[in-house]
Amino acid sequence: MDVWPARAEAVRNAFMHAYSGYLEHAADHDELLPLSNGSVDNFNGWGLSVVEGLDTMWLMGFHDEFDDAVAFVANFTFALREDKYAPFFETVIRYLGGLLSAYSLSNDPLLLARADDLGTALLPAFSTDSGLPKYAVNTVNGKTANGWNAHTTLFAEGLSCQMEYKFLAFLTGRKEYYTKVEDIMELMYAMDLTATEGLFPTMFDSKNGTPATSQVSVGAFADSAYEYFLKQWLLTGQSDTKARDLYIRSANNIISTLLYLTPNRNLLYVTDAHMPHASPSHTFEHLSCFLSGVLALGANTVPAL
Protein backbone atom coordinates (compact mmCIF):
# COMPACT_ATOMS: atom_id res chain seq x y z
CA MET A 1 0.00 0.00 0.00
CA ASP A 2 1.34 3.41 -0.99
CA VAL A 3 1.14 5.51 2.17
CA TRP A 4 2.89 8.60 0.81
CA PRO A 5 -0.10 10.39 -0.79
CA ALA A 6 -2.02 10.21 2.49
CA ARG A 7 0.98 11.44 4.43
CA ALA A 8 1.51 14.30 1.98
CA GLU A 9 -2.13 15.31 2.35
CA ALA A 10 -1.79 15.22 6.14
CA VAL A 11 1.14 17.62 5.90
CA ARG A 12 -0.84 19.93 3.60
CA ASN A 13 -3.74 19.89 6.05
CA ALA A 14 -1.42 20.65 8.97
CA PHE A 15 0.02 23.63 7.14
CA MET A 16 -3.40 24.99 6.23
CA HIS A 17 -4.64 24.53 9.80
CA ALA A 18 -1.70 26.56 11.13
CA TYR A 19 -1.85 29.23 8.44
CA SER A 20 -5.62 29.65 8.73
CA GLY A 21 -5.20 30.14 12.47
CA TYR A 22 -2.60 32.80 11.81
CA LEU A 23 -4.86 34.63 9.34
CA GLU A 24 -7.81 34.50 11.72
CA HIS A 25 -6.06 35.59 14.90
CA ALA A 26 -2.76 37.26 13.99
CA ALA A 27 -3.09 38.71 10.49
CA ASP A 28 -0.67 41.57 9.73
CA HIS A 29 1.53 40.53 12.65
CA ASP A 30 4.63 38.37 12.58
CA GLU A 31 3.51 35.28 14.45
CA LEU A 32 0.52 33.62 16.09
CA LEU A 33 0.50 32.75 19.78
CA PRO A 34 -1.47 29.50 19.44
CA LEU A 35 -2.39 28.96 23.09
CA SER A 36 -3.94 32.40 23.53
CA ASN A 37 -4.91 33.20 19.92
CA GLY A 38 -2.83 36.32 20.32
CA SER A 39 -0.03 37.71 18.19
CA VAL A 40 3.56 38.83 18.55
CA ASP A 41 5.86 40.98 16.43
CA ASN A 42 9.32 39.53 17.02
CA PHE A 43 10.68 40.29 13.55
CA ASN A 44 9.95 43.90 12.58
CA GLY A 45 6.15 43.57 12.56
CA TRP A 46 5.88 43.27 8.78
CA GLY A 47 3.90 40.01 8.68
CA LEU A 48 6.68 37.44 8.79
CA SER A 49 4.49 34.34 8.70
CA VAL A 50 3.07 35.38 5.33
CA VAL A 51 6.52 35.85 3.78
CA GLU A 52 7.98 32.66 5.23
CA GLY A 53 4.93 30.73 4.04
CA LEU A 54 5.02 31.90 0.43
CA ASP A 55 7.22 29.17 -1.04
CA THR A 56 5.44 26.48 0.99
CA MET A 57 2.06 27.63 -0.35
CA TRP A 58 3.38 27.44 -3.89
CA LEU A 59 4.93 24.00 -3.47
CA MET A 60 1.80 22.61 -1.81
CA GLY A 61 -0.47 23.97 -4.51
CA PHE A 62 -2.27 26.55 -2.38
CA HIS A 63 -2.30 29.09 -5.20
CA ASP A 64 -5.30 31.12 -4.01
CA GLU A 65 -3.62 31.65 -0.65
CA PHE A 66 -0.36 32.43 -2.45
CA ASP A 67 -2.05 35.11 -4.57
CA ASP A 68 -3.59 36.67 -1.47
CA ALA A 69 -0.20 36.67 0.23
CA VAL A 70 1.45 38.35 -2.76
CA ALA A 71 -1.24 41.04 -2.65
CA PHE A 72 -0.32 41.58 1.01
CA VAL A 73 3.39 41.79 0.18
CA ALA A 74 2.62 44.33 -2.56
CA ASN A 75 1.94 46.92 0.14
CA PHE A 76 5.22 46.36 1.99
CA THR A 77 7.22 49.51 2.64
CA PHE A 78 9.53 47.92 5.24
CA ALA A 79 8.83 50.89 7.47
CA LEU A 80 10.16 51.14 11.02
CA ARG A 81 9.88 53.80 13.67
CA GLU A 82 12.93 56.01 14.00
CA ASP A 83 13.96 54.29 17.24
CA LYS A 84 13.53 50.73 15.92
CA TYR A 85 16.02 48.52 14.11
CA ALA A 86 15.68 45.43 11.93
CA PRO A 87 18.07 42.65 12.99
CA PHE A 88 20.16 42.12 9.87
CA PHE A 89 20.65 38.36 10.11
CA GLU A 90 17.03 37.49 10.85
CA THR A 91 15.67 39.94 8.28
CA VAL A 92 17.91 38.58 5.53
CA ILE A 93 17.28 34.88 6.09
CA ARG A 94 13.56 35.25 6.78
CA TYR A 95 12.23 38.15 4.72
CA LEU A 96 14.76 38.52 1.92
CA GLY A 97 15.22 34.77 1.61
CA GLY A 98 11.47 34.20 1.71
CA LEU A 99 10.79 36.71 -1.04
CA LEU A 100 13.56 35.37 -3.27
CA SER A 101 12.53 31.75 -2.77
CA ALA A 102 8.94 32.56 -3.70
CA TYR A 103 10.10 34.55 -6.73
CA SER A 104 12.31 31.70 -7.95
CA LEU A 105 9.27 29.39 -7.92
CA SER A 106 6.60 31.74 -9.25
CA ASN A 107 8.50 34.33 -11.33
CA ASP A 108 6.14 36.97 -9.94
CA PRO A 109 7.95 40.28 -10.60
CA LEU A 110 6.36 41.95 -7.60
CA LEU A 111 8.23 39.61 -5.26
CA LEU A 112 11.53 40.49 -6.89
CA ALA A 113 10.70 44.19 -6.64
CA ARG A 114 10.05 43.90 -2.91
CA ALA A 115 13.23 41.86 -2.47
CA ASP A 116 15.18 44.56 -4.29
CA ASP A 117 13.65 47.23 -2.04
CA LEU A 118 14.58 45.30 1.08
CA GLY A 119 18.06 44.44 -0.15
CA THR A 120 18.73 48.14 -0.67
CA ALA A 121 17.28 49.14 2.69
CA LEU A 122 19.59 46.71 4.51
CA LEU A 123 22.81 47.76 2.74
CA PRO A 124 23.84 50.31 5.44
CA ALA A 125 24.53 47.34 7.72
CA PHE A 126 27.75 46.75 5.74
CA SER A 127 29.14 50.22 6.54
CA THR A 128 31.88 48.99 8.88
CA ASP A 129 35.63 49.24 8.36
CA SER A 130 35.85 45.47 7.82
CA GLY A 131 32.69 45.15 5.73
CA LEU A 132 31.20 42.74 8.27
CA PRO A 133 27.56 43.69 8.89
CA LYS A 134 26.35 45.50 11.97
CA TYR A 135 23.76 43.76 14.11
CA ALA A 136 20.79 45.85 12.98
CA VAL A 137 19.73 48.67 10.68
CA ASN A 138 16.82 51.07 10.49
CA THR A 139 15.34 50.47 7.05
CA VAL A 140 14.06 54.05 6.75
CA ASN A 141 16.94 56.28 7.85
CA GLY A 142 19.84 53.83 7.43
CA LYS A 143 21.10 54.16 11.00
CA THR A 144 22.75 51.05 12.42
CA ALA A 145 22.90 49.54 15.89
CA ASN A 146 25.18 47.16 17.75
CA GLY A 147 23.99 43.93 19.27
CA TRP A 148 24.48 42.62 22.79
CA ASN A 149 28.26 42.49 22.29
CA ALA A 150 29.20 45.87 20.87
CA HIS A 151 31.46 46.15 17.82
CA THR A 152 31.41 42.44 17.05
CA THR A 153 29.82 40.37 14.31
CA LEU A 154 28.85 36.77 14.88
CA PHE A 155 30.16 34.25 12.35
CA ALA A 156 26.60 33.26 11.40
CA GLU A 157 25.53 36.91 11.03
CA GLY A 158 28.36 37.77 8.66
CA LEU A 159 28.32 34.58 6.59
CA SER A 160 24.58 33.90 6.22
CA CYS A 161 23.71 36.65 3.77
CA GLN A 162 25.73 35.57 0.73
CA MET A 163 23.10 33.27 -0.79
CA GLU A 164 20.41 35.94 -0.73
CA TYR A 165 22.53 38.87 -1.88
CA LYS A 166 24.35 36.97 -4.62
CA PHE A 167 21.07 35.65 -6.02
CA LEU A 168 19.59 39.15 -5.80
CA ALA A 169 22.63 40.51 -7.65
CA PHE A 170 22.15 37.89 -10.36
CA LEU A 171 18.46 38.74 -10.76
CA THR A 172 18.82 42.53 -10.71
CA GLY A 173 22.27 43.02 -12.22
CA ARG A 174 23.26 45.20 -9.27
CA LYS A 175 26.95 44.56 -8.66
CA GLU A 176 26.91 46.20 -5.22
CA TYR A 177 24.82 43.37 -3.81
CA TYR A 178 27.47 40.87 -4.88
CA THR A 179 30.57 42.79 -3.83
CA LYS A 180 29.32 43.54 -0.31
CA VAL A 181 28.98 39.87 0.57
CA GLU A 182 31.84 38.55 -1.54
CA ASP A 183 34.26 40.88 0.25
CA ILE A 184 33.35 39.02 3.45
CA MET A 185 34.06 35.69 1.75
CA GLU A 186 37.47 36.98 0.68
CA LEU A 187 38.15 38.02 4.27
CA MET A 188 37.34 34.50 5.48
CA TYR A 189 39.34 32.83 2.72
CA ALA A 190 42.48 34.77 3.59
CA MET A 191 42.14 34.51 7.37
CA ASP A 192 44.89 32.87 9.41
CA LEU A 193 43.13 30.23 11.51
CA THR A 194 46.21 28.67 13.05
CA ALA A 195 45.14 29.64 16.58
CA THR A 196 41.80 27.87 16.16
CA GLU A 197 43.21 24.85 14.31
CA GLY A 198 41.52 25.65 11.02
CA LEU A 199 38.07 26.38 12.45
CA PHE A 200 36.36 29.75 12.30
CA PRO A 201 35.76 31.50 15.63
CA THR A 202 32.19 32.36 16.50
CA MET A 203 32.81 36.11 16.75
CA PHE A 204 34.80 38.77 14.88
CA ASP A 205 35.74 42.37 15.52
CA SER A 206 33.51 44.29 13.11
CA LYS A 207 36.06 47.10 12.83
CA ASN A 208 39.11 45.15 11.67
CA GLY A 209 37.66 41.73 10.86
CA THR A 210 39.92 39.80 13.22
CA PRO A 211 38.75 37.00 15.55
CA ALA A 212 37.21 38.27 18.79
CA THR A 213 36.99 34.94 20.62
CA SER A 214 38.70 31.56 20.79
CA GLN A 215 35.40 29.66 20.80
CA VAL A 216 34.57 27.44 17.82
CA SER A 217 31.20 25.83 17.24
CA VAL A 218 28.66 24.67 14.69
CA GLY A 219 25.82 25.72 16.98
CA ALA A 220 24.71 29.16 18.13
CA PHE A 221 26.70 32.04 16.61
CA ALA A 222 28.05 29.82 13.80
CA ASP A 223 25.58 27.23 12.41
CA SER A 224 24.29 28.51 9.05
CA ALA A 225 27.65 29.99 8.01
CA TYR A 226 28.96 26.49 7.32
CA GLU A 227 25.78 25.65 5.43
CA TYR A 228 26.19 28.74 3.25
CA PHE A 229 29.75 27.79 2.24
CA LEU A 230 28.50 24.63 0.55
CA LYS A 231 25.33 26.14 -0.88
CA GLN A 232 27.13 29.10 -2.44
CA TRP A 233 29.17 26.62 -4.42
CA LEU A 234 25.97 24.86 -5.52
CA LEU A 235 24.19 28.16 -6.23
CA THR A 236 26.92 29.14 -8.69
CA GLY A 237 26.66 25.89 -10.64
CA GLN A 238 29.68 24.54 -8.78
CA SER A 239 31.90 27.33 -10.09
CA ASP A 240 32.71 29.18 -6.85
CA THR A 241 35.73 27.11 -5.87
CA LYS A 242 36.63 29.36 -2.94
CA ALA A 243 33.26 28.64 -1.32
CA ARG A 244 33.79 24.93 -2.00
CA ASP A 245 37.26 25.01 -0.47
CA LEU A 246 35.99 26.84 2.62
CA TYR A 247 33.34 24.14 3.04
CA ILE A 248 35.80 21.25 2.60
CA ARG A 249 38.34 22.81 4.94
CA SER A 250 35.68 23.51 7.57
CA ALA A 251 34.03 20.09 7.29
CA ASN A 252 37.33 18.27 7.72
CA ASN A 253 38.26 20.31 10.78
CA ILE A 254 34.81 19.94 12.34
CA ILE A 255 35.03 16.16 11.94
CA SER A 256 38.54 15.96 13.38
CA THR A 257 38.05 18.43 16.24
CA LEU A 258 34.42 18.73 17.35
CA LEU A 259 32.94 15.23 17.00
CA TYR A 260 32.79 12.98 20.07
CA LEU A 261 31.19 9.73 21.22
CA THR A 262 29.05 9.53 24.34
CA PRO A 263 30.75 7.37 26.99
CA ASN A 264 27.96 4.86 27.61
CA ARG A 265 26.15 4.32 24.31
CA ASN A 266 28.76 5.48 21.80
CA LEU A 267 26.43 8.01 20.18
CA LEU A 268 28.14 10.47 17.86
CA TYR A 269 27.58 14.15 18.63
CA VAL A 270 29.11 17.52 17.81
CA THR A 271 30.01 20.12 20.41
CA ASP A 272 31.80 23.45 20.78
CA ALA A 273 35.27 24.11 22.15
CA HIS A 274 37.72 26.79 23.14
CA MET A 275 40.97 26.72 21.24
CA PRO A 276 43.87 26.22 20.81
CA HIS A 277 43.72 23.12 22.99
CA ALA A 278 40.23 21.99 21.96
CA SER A 279 38.67 22.16 25.41
CA PRO A 280 35.18 20.86 24.58
CA SER A 281 32.04 21.76 26.47
CA HIS A 282 30.45 18.40 25.53
CA THR A 283 27.18 20.26 25.05
CA PHE A 284 25.13 19.18 22.05
CA GLU A 285 22.71 21.96 21.19
CA HIS A 286 19.69 21.87 18.91
CA LEU A 287 21.15 24.48 16.55
CA SER A 288 23.85 21.96 15.61
CA CYS A 289 21.38 19.41 14.28
CA PHE A 290 21.68 20.72 10.73
CA LEU A 291 25.24 19.40 10.48
CA SER A 292 24.41 15.83 9.45
CA GLY A 293 22.26 17.12 6.60
CA VAL A 294 24.97 19.48 5.35
CA LEU A 295 27.60 16.74 5.49
CA ALA A 296 25.26 14.41 3.60
CA LEU A 297 24.63 17.08 0.95
CA GLY A 298 28.35 17.69 0.66
CA ALA A 299 29.11 13.98 0.37
CA ASN A 300 26.71 13.76 -2.57
CA THR A 301 27.73 16.94 -4.38
CA VAL A 302 31.41 17.66 -3.69
CA PRO A 303 33.76 15.55 -5.82
CA ALA A 304 36.86 13.99 -4.35
CA LEU A 305 39.75 16.40 -4.80
Side-chain angles (χ1 to χ4, degrees), residues 125-171:
F126 295 104
S127 58
T128 61
D129 292 341
S130 67
L132 290 167
K134 296 291 284 287
Y135 170 74
V137 59
N138 183 289
T139 47
V140 176
N141 58 33
K143 293 181 179 179
T144 59
N146 294 319
W148 58 272
N149 198 351
H151 306 301
T152 61
T153 299
L154 301 181
F155 183 38
E157 290 176 341
L159 276 299
S160 301
C161 54
Q162 282 71 19
M163 292 278 290
E164 292 83 358
Y165 268 99
K166 287 183 177 181
F167 189 41
L168 189 57
F170 172 76
L171 295 172

Short mmCIF file of all heavy atoms in Angstrom, two decimals, residues 125-171:
data_model
loop_
_atom_site.label_atom_id
_atom_site.label_comp_id
_atom_site.label_asym_id
_atom_site.label_seq_id
_atom_site.Cartn_x
_atom_site.Cartn_y
_atom_site.Cartn_z
N ALA A 125 23.95 48.23 6.71
CA ALA A 125 24.53 47.34 7.72
C ALA A 125 25.99 47.02 7.41
O ALA A 125 26.77 46.71 8.32
CB ALA A 125 23.72 46.04 7.80
N PHE A 126 26.38 47.09 6.14
CA PHE A 126 27.75 46.75 5.74
C PHE A 126 28.73 47.91 5.92
O PHE A 126 29.90 47.78 5.55
CB PHE A 126 27.77 46.30 4.28
CG PHE A 126 27.03 45.03 4.01
CD1 PHE A 126 25.79 45.06 3.39
CD2 PHE A 126 27.57 43.80 4.36
CE1 PHE A 126 25.09 43.88 3.13
CE2 PHE A 126 26.89 42.62 4.11
CZ PHE A 126 25.64 42.66 3.49
N SER A 127 28.29 49.02 6.47
CA SER A 127 29.14 50.22 6.54
C SER A 127 30.07 50.18 7.75
O SER A 127 30.10 51.08 8.58
CB SER A 127 28.27 51.47 6.60
OG SER A 127 27.39 51.42 7.71
N THR A 128 30.85 49.10 7.86
CA THR A 128 31.88 48.99 8.88
C THR A 128 33.24 48.98 8.19
O THR A 128 33.33 48.76 6.98
CB THR A 128 31.72 47.69 9.70
OG1 THR A 128 31.85 46.57 8.80
CG2 THR A 128 30.36 47.64 10.38
N ASP A 129 34.29 49.21 8.95
CA ASP A 129 35.63 49.24 8.36
C ASP A 129 35.99 47.90 7.73
O ASP A 129 36.68 47.84 6.71
CB ASP A 129 36.66 49.61 9.42
CG ASP A 129 36.53 51.05 9.88
OD1 ASP A 129 35.90 51.85 9.16
OD2 ASP A 129 37.04 51.37 10.98
N SER A 130 35.52 46.81 8.32
CA SER A 130 35.85 45.47 7.82
C SER A 130 34.90 45.00 6.73
O SER A 130 35.22 44.07 5.98
CB SER A 130 35.82 44.46 8.97
OG SER A 130 34.48 44.31 9.45
N GLY A 131 33.72 45.62 6.65
CA GLY A 131 32.69 45.15 5.73
C GLY A 131 31.76 44.14 6.36
O GLY A 131 30.73 43.79 5.77
N LEU A 132 32.10 43.64 7.56
CA LEU A 132 31.20 42.74 8.27
C LEU A 132 29.96 43.51 8.71
O LEU A 132 30.06 44.66 9.15
CB LEU A 132 31.90 42.14 9.48
CG LEU A 132 33.01 41.13 9.19
CD1 LEU A 132 33.82 40.86 10.46
CD2 LEU A 132 32.44 39.83 8.64
N PRO A 133 28.78 42.93 8.61
CA PRO A 133 27.56 43.69 8.89
C PRO A 133 27.37 44.00 10.36
O PRO A 133 27.75 43.22 11.23
CB PRO A 133 26.45 42.77 8.38
CG PRO A 133 27.03 41.39 8.48
CD PRO A 133 28.49 41.55 8.16
N LYS A 134 26.77 45.16 10.62
CA LYS A 134 26.35 45.50 11.97
C LYS A 134 25.16 44.63 12.34
O LYS A 134 24.51 44.01 11.51
CB LYS A 134 25.97 46.98 12.06
CG LYS A 134 27.11 47.94 11.79
CD LYS A 134 28.14 47.90 12.91
CE LYS A 134 27.70 48.62 14.16
NZ LYS A 134 27.69 50.09 14.03
N TYR A 135 24.84 44.62 13.62
CA TYR A 135 23.76 43.76 14.11
C TYR A 135 22.41 44.13 13.51
O TYR A 135 21.61 43.26 13.15
CB TYR A 135 23.68 43.83 15.64
CG TYR A 135 22.45 43.17 16.20
CD1 TYR A 135 22.32 41.79 16.23
CD2 TYR A 135 21.39 43.95 16.67
CE1 TYR A 135 21.18 41.19 16.71
CE2 TYR A 135 20.24 43.35 17.16
CZ TYR A 135 20.14 41.97 17.18
OH TYR A 135 19.00 41.38 17.66
N ALA A 136 22.13 45.44 13.39
CA ALA A 136 20.79 45.85 12.98
C ALA A 136 20.85 47.18 12.24
O ALA A 136 21.80 47.95 12.37
CB ALA A 136 19.87 45.97 14.20
N VAL A 137 19.80 47.44 11.46
CA VAL A 137 19.73 48.67 10.68
C VAL A 137 18.29 49.17 10.65
O VAL A 137 17.34 48.38 10.61
CB VAL A 137 20.26 48.43 9.24
CG1 VAL A 137 19.46 47.35 8.53
CG2 VAL A 137 20.26 49.70 8.43
N ASN A 138 18.14 50.48 10.70
CA ASN A 138 16.82 51.07 10.49
C ASN A 138 16.60 51.19 8.99
O ASN A 138 17.38 51.85 8.29
CB ASN A 138 16.72 52.45 11.16
CG ASN A 138 15.34 53.05 11.04
OD1 ASN A 138 14.92 53.46 9.96
ND2 ASN A 138 14.62 53.10 12.15
N THR A 139 15.56 50.57 8.49
CA THR A 139 15.34 50.47 7.05
C THR A 139 14.79 51.76 6.44
O THR A 139 14.61 51.83 5.22
CB THR A 139 14.37 49.32 6.75
OG1 THR A 139 13.24 49.41 7.64
CG2 THR A 139 15.05 47.98 6.96
N VAL A 140 14.55 52.77 7.26
CA VAL A 140 14.06 54.05 6.75
C VAL A 140 15.18 55.08 6.69
O VAL A 140 15.43 55.70 5.65
CB VAL A 140 12.90 54.58 7.62
CG1 VAL A 140 12.46 55.96 7.13
CG2 VAL A 140 11.73 53.61 7.58
N ASN A 141 15.91 55.23 7.81
CA ASN A 141 16.94 56.28 7.85
C ASN A 141 18.36 55.74 7.69
O ASN A 141 19.31 56.52 7.61
CB ASN A 141 16.83 57.10 9.14
CG ASN A 141 16.96 56.25 10.40
OD1 ASN A 141 17.68 55.26 10.42
ND2 ASN A 141 16.25 56.64 11.46
N GLY A 142 18.53 54.42 7.66
CA GLY A 142 19.84 53.83 7.43
C GLY A 142 20.75 53.79 8.64
O GLY A 142 21.90 53.35 8.53
N LYS A 143 20.27 54.22 9.79
CA LYS A 143 21.10 54.16 11.00
C LYS A 143 21.30 52.70 11.41
O LYS A 143 20.42 51.86 11.20
CB LYS A 143 20.45 54.95 12.13
CG LYS A 143 20.40 56.45 11.90
CD LYS A 143 19.76 57.16 13.08
CE LYS A 143 19.71 58.67 12.86
NZ LYS A 143 19.07 59.38 14.00
N THR A 144 22.45 52.41 12.00
CA THR A 144 22.75 51.05 12.42
C THR A 144 22.88 50.97 13.94
O THR A 144 23.05 51.99 14.61
CB THR A 144 24.05 50.54 11.77
OG1 THR A 144 25.13 51.41 12.13
CG2 THR A 144 23.91 50.50 10.26
N ALA A 145 22.81 49.75 14.44
CA ALA A 145 22.90 49.54 15.89
C ALA A 145 23.73 48.30 16.17
O ALA A 145 23.73 47.34 15.39
CB ALA A 145 21.51 49.40 16.49
N ASN A 146 24.44 48.33 17.30
CA ASN A 146 25.18 47.16 17.75
C ASN A 146 24.26 46.18 18.44
O ASN A 146 23.19 46.53 18.92
CB ASN A 146 26.30 47.58 18.71
CG ASN A 146 27.36 48.42 18.05
OD1 ASN A 146 27.76 48.15 16.92
ND2 ASN A 146 27.82 49.46 18.74
N GLY A 147 24.72 44.94 18.54
CA GLY A 147 23.99 43.93 19.27
C GLY A 147 24.41 43.89 20.72
O GLY A 147 24.96 44.85 21.26
N TRP A 148 24.20 42.74 21.36
CA TRP A 148 24.48 42.62 22.79
C TRP A 148 25.97 42.72 23.08
O TRP A 148 26.38 43.09 24.17
CB TRP A 148 23.94 41.29 23.32
CG TRP A 148 24.50 40.08 22.62
CD1 TRP A 148 24.00 39.49 21.49
CD2 TRP A 148 25.65 39.33 22.98
NE1 TRP A 148 24.78 38.41 21.13
CE2 TRP A 148 25.80 38.29 22.03
CE3 TRP A 148 26.59 39.43 24.01
CZ2 TRP A 148 26.83 37.36 22.08
CZ3 TRP A 148 27.62 38.50 24.07
CH2 TRP A 148 27.74 37.48 23.12
N ASN A 149 26.81 42.39 22.11
CA ASN A 149 28.26 42.49 22.29
C ASN A 149 28.78 43.52 21.29
O ASN A 149 29.01 43.22 20.13
CB ASN A 149 28.92 41.13 22.08
CG ASN A 149 30.32 41.07 22.66
OD1 ASN A 149 30.87 42.09 23.08
ND2 ASN A 149 30.90 39.89 22.69
N ALA A 150 28.93 44.74 21.75
CA ALA A 150 29.20 45.87 20.87
C ALA A 150 30.44 45.66 20.00
O ALA A 150 31.43 45.08 20.43
CB ALA A 150 29.37 47.14 21.70
N HIS A 151 30.34 46.13 18.77
CA HIS A 151 31.46 46.15 17.82
C HIS A 151 31.94 44.75 17.45
O HIS A 151 33.12 44.57 17.10
CB HIS A 151 32.62 46.99 18.35
CG HIS A 151 32.22 48.38 18.75
ND1 HIS A 151 31.64 49.27 17.86
CD2 HIS A 151 32.28 49.03 19.95
CE1 HIS A 151 31.39 50.41 18.48
NE2 HIS A 151 31.75 50.29 19.74
N THR A 152 31.07 43.78 17.52
CA THR A 152 31.41 42.44 17.05
C THR A 152 30.34 41.95 16.09
O THR A 152 29.19 42.41 16.12
CB THR A 152 31.55 41.43 18.21
OG1 THR A 152 30.29 41.33 18.89
CG2 THR A 152 32.64 41.83 19.18
N THR A 153 30.74 41.03 15.23
CA THR A 153 29.82 40.37 14.31
C THR A 153 29.94 38.88 14.52
O THR A 153 31.05 38.33 14.50
CB THR A 153 30.15 40.72 12.84
OG1 THR A 153 30.03 42.13 12.64
CG2 THR A 153 29.20 40.00 11.89
N LEU A 154 28.83 38.22 14.73
CA LEU A 154 28.85 36.77 14.88
C LEU A 154 29.15 36.12 13.53
O LEU A 154 28.77 36.64 12.47
CB LEU A 154 27.52 36.26 15.42
CG LEU A 154 27.08 36.81 16.78
CD1 LEU A 154 25.75 36.19 17.19
CD2 LEU A 154 28.14 36.55 17.84
N PHE A 155 29.82 34.98 13.57
CA PHE A 155 30.16 34.25 12.35
C PHE A 155 28.92 33.99 11.51
O PHE A 155 28.91 34.22 10.29
CB PHE A 155 30.84 32.94 12.76
CG PHE A 155 31.33 32.09 11.61
CD1 PHE A 155 31.89 32.66 10.48
CD2 PHE A 155 31.25 30.71 11.69
CE1 PHE A 155 32.36 31.86 9.43
CE2 PHE A 155 31.71 29.91 10.66
CZ PHE A 155 32.26 30.48 9.53
N ALA A 156 27.83 33.54 12.14
CA ALA A 156 26.60 33.26 11.40
C ALA A 156 26.01 34.54 10.80
O ALA A 156 25.47 34.53 9.69
CB ALA A 156 25.58 32.58 12.30
N GLU A 157 26.10 35.65 11.53
CA GLU A 157 25.53 36.91 11.03
C GLU A 157 26.27 37.40 9.78
O GLU A 157 25.65 37.91 8.85
CB GLU A 157 25.62 37.98 12.12
CG GLU A 157 24.69 37.75 13.29
CD GLU A 157 24.87 38.78 14.39
OE1 GLU A 157 25.94 39.44 14.42
OE2 GLU A 157 23.97 38.92 15.23
N GLY A 158 27.58 37.27 9.78
CA GLY A 158 28.36 37.77 8.66
C GLY A 158 28.39 36.86 7.46
O GLY A 158 28.61 37.31 6.33
N LEU A 159 28.16 35.56 7.68
CA LEU A 159 28.32 34.58 6.59
C LEU A 159 27.01 33.88 6.24
O LEU A 159 27.04 32.81 5.61
CB LEU A 159 29.38 33.56 6.98
CG LEU A 159 30.85 33.94 6.72
CD1 LEU A 159 31.09 34.18 5.23
CD2 LEU A 159 31.30 35.13 7.53
N SER A 160 25.88 34.48 6.59
CA SER A 160 24.58 33.90 6.22
C SER A 160 23.74 34.90 5.45
O SER A 160 22.52 34.95 5.59
CB SER A 160 23.83 33.42 7.46
OG SER A 160 24.56 32.46 8.18
N CYS A 161 24.41 35.70 4.63
CA CYS A 161 23.71 36.65 3.77
C CYS A 161 24.15 36.51 2.32
O CYS A 161 23.59 37.15 1.43
CB CYS A 161 23.93 38.08 4.25
SG CYS A 161 25.67 38.55 4.45
N GLN A 162 25.16 35.67 2.08
CA GLN A 162 25.73 35.57 0.73
C GLN A 162 24.77 34.94 -0.27
O GLN A 162 24.69 35.38 -1.42
CB GLN A 162 27.04 34.76 0.79
CG GLN A 162 28.24 35.52 1.30
CD GLN A 162 28.17 35.80 2.80
OE1 GLN A 162 27.43 35.16 3.53
NE2 GLN A 162 28.95 36.76 3.25
N MET A 163 24.04 33.92 0.13
CA MET A 163 23.10 33.27 -0.79
C MET A 163 22.07 34.28 -1.30
O MET A 163 21.81 34.39 -2.51
CB MET A 163 22.39 32.12 -0.08
CG MET A 163 23.28 30.95 0.27
SD MET A 163 23.52 29.84 -1.13
CE MET A 163 21.88 29.14 -1.25
N GLU A 164 21.48 35.01 -0.37
CA GLU A 164 20.41 35.94 -0.73
C GLU A 164 20.94 37.09 -1.59
O GLU A 164 20.36 37.43 -2.63
CB GLU A 164 19.75 36.50 0.54
CG GLU A 164 18.95 35.47 1.32
CD GLU A 164 19.79 34.61 2.26
OE1 GLU A 164 21.04 34.79 2.27
OE2 GLU A 164 19.24 33.78 2.98
N TYR A 165 22.04 37.70 -1.15
CA TYR A 165 22.53 38.87 -1.88
C TYR A 165 23.16 38.51 -3.22
O TYR A 165 23.05 39.28 -4.19
CB TYR A 165 23.51 39.66 -1.01
CG TYR A 165 22.81 40.73 -0.20
CD1 TYR A 165 22.49 40.54 1.13
CD2 TYR A 165 22.46 41.95 -0.79
CE1 TYR A 165 21.83 41.52 1.86
CE2 TYR A 165 21.81 42.93 -0.07
CZ TYR A 165 21.50 42.72 1.25
OH TYR A 165 20.84 43.70 1.96
N LYS A 166 23.80 37.36 -3.32
CA LYS A 166 24.35 36.97 -4.62
C LYS A 166 23.24 36.62 -5.61
O LYS A 166 23.33 36.96 -6.80
CB LYS A 166 25.31 35.79 -4.45
CG LYS A 166 26.63 36.18 -3.80
CD LYS A 166 27.59 35.00 -3.72
CE LYS A 166 28.93 35.43 -3.13
NZ LYS A 166 29.90 34.32 -3.05
N PHE A 167 22.20 35.96 -5.13
CA PHE A 167 21.07 35.65 -6.02
C PHE A 167 20.36 36.94 -6.43
O PHE A 167 19.97 37.11 -7.59
CB PHE A 167 20.11 34.70 -5.31
CG PHE A 167 19.02 34.15 -6.19
CD1 PHE A 167 19.27 33.76 -7.49
CD2 PHE A 167 17.73 34.01 -5.69
CE1 PHE A 167 18.26 33.25 -8.30
CE2 PHE A 167 16.71 33.50 -6.49
CZ PHE A 167 16.98 33.12 -7.80
N LEU A 168 20.22 37.87 -5.48
CA LEU A 168 19.59 39.15 -5.80
C LEU A 168 20.44 39.93 -6.81
O LEU A 168 19.90 40.57 -7.72
CB LEU A 168 19.40 39.96 -4.52
CG LEU A 168 18.57 41.24 -4.62
CD1 LEU A 168 17.18 40.97 -5.17
CD2 LEU A 168 18.48 41.91 -3.25
N ALA A 169 21.75 39.86 -6.68
CA ALA A 169 22.63 40.51 -7.65
C ALA A 169 22.45 39.90 -9.04
O ALA A 169 22.41 40.61 -10.05
CB ALA A 169 24.08 40.39 -7.21
N PHE A 170 22.35 38.58 -9.09
CA PHE A 170 22.15 37.89 -10.36
C PHE A 170 20.84 38.31 -11.02
O PHE A 170 20.77 38.55 -12.23
CB PHE A 170 22.16 36.38 -10.12
CG PHE A 170 21.78 35.56 -11.31
CD1 PHE A 170 22.66 35.35 -12.35
CD2 PHE A 170 20.52 34.97 -11.39
CE1 PHE A 170 22.30 34.59 -13.46
CE2 PHE A 170 20.14 34.21 -12.48
CZ PHE A 170 21.04 34.03 -13.52
N LEU A 171 19.78 38.43 -10.22
CA LEU A 171 18.46 38.74 -10.76
C LEU A 171 18.33 40.20 -11.18
O LEU A 171 17.62 40.51 -12.15
CB LEU A 171 17.38 38.42 -9.72
CG LEU A 171 17.22 36.94 -9.35
CD1 LEU A 171 16.25 36.80 -8.18
CD2 LEU A 171 16.72 36.13 -10.54
#
